């Protein structure tokens, strides 16, 4: 869902890609940080990781990582997440309301883990926020 600032001038505005967790415990990011950011002058694109609803309704628990591997070869799920965030940034940069030099990413849970990788591998995204990424101090990760 794309949220645009109201009554704040023509822009261009900074933009934020906002991902929720991959589980149903936190849904509708547009009602949480999306509306808050839009009311403060940000263009917000809300979404979540592909593993929440992949092809044929598969999820992480029912085979989404395996379907990804079958379709793209040696792609790990986190690489697909970074790829998806970069495509979302590309879309935002095409919008006249968006300042292409000020695009951020915010994620919660698995979205937060994706934010860490987005920070490392998506140079077009200039700021990231990772809320509860579940990354161990020793660098271990389940993704």
């Amino acid at each position: 869902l794309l949220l645009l600032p109201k009554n704040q001038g023509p822009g261009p505005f900074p933009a934020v890609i906002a991902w929720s967790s991959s589980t149903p415990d936190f849904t509708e990011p547009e009602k949480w940080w999306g509306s808050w950011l839009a009311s403060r002058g940000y263009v917000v694109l809300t979404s979540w990781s592909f593993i929440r609803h992949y092809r044929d309704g598969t999820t992480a628990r029912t085979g989404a990582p395996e379907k990804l591997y079958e379709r793209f070869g040696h792609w790990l799920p986190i690489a697909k997440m970074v790829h998806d965030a970069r495509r979302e940034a590309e879309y935002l940069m095409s919008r006249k309301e968006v300042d292409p030099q000020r695009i951020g990413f915010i994620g919660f849970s698995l979205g937060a883990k994706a934010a860490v990788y987005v920070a490392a591998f998506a140079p077009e995204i200039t700021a990231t926020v990772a809320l509860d990424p579940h990354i161990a101090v020793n660098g271990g990760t389940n993704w």
Side-chain angles (χ1 to χ4, degrees):
L1 183 63
L2 183 67
L3 303 169
L4 301 172
K6 285 185 179 179
N7 305 320
Q8 298 187 35
F13 301 102
V16 176
I17 299 164
W19 281 17
S20 68
S21 71
S22 58
T23 60
D25 59 338
F26 183 74
T27 59
E28 301 178 304
E30 66 277 3
K31 290 184 180 176
W32 295 88
W33 51 45
S35 63
W36 188 86
L37 287 165
S39 72
R40 284 156 178 80
Y42 290 83
V43 172
V44 183
L45 181 60
T46 62
S47 186
W48 50 74
S49 166
F50 79 97
I51 65 164
R52 189 168 178 174
H53 298 288
Y54 195 51
R55 296 173 166 270
D56 305 321
T58 57
T59 66
R61 289 192 171 96
T62 62
E66 291 79 11
K67 284 190 176 194
L68 172 74
Y69 195 84
E70 286 173 19
R71 184 168 183 221
F72 293 104
H74 296 279
W75 278 43
L76 295 175
I78 198 71
K80 172 80 165 98
M81 292 175 212
V82 172
H83 173 81
D84 291 347
R86 294 189 79 188
R87 297 299 65 80
E88 290 175 344
E90 184 178 2
Y91 166 72
L92 287 171
M93 286 186 273
S94 75
R95 303 280 309 200
K96 67 179 178 2
E97 304 92 345
V98 173
D99 178 347
Q101 300 300 311
R102 298 189 299 161
I103 297 178
F105 184 100
I106 184 172
F108 172 72
S109 191
L110 183 56
K113 191 172 296 194
V116 172
Y117 287 85
V118 164
F121 299 110
E124 63 274 28
I125 296 174
T126 57
T128 57
V129 176
L131 302 169
D132 198 13
H134 304 288
I135 296 176
V137 173
N138 68 1
T141 177
N142 59 340
W143 288 95

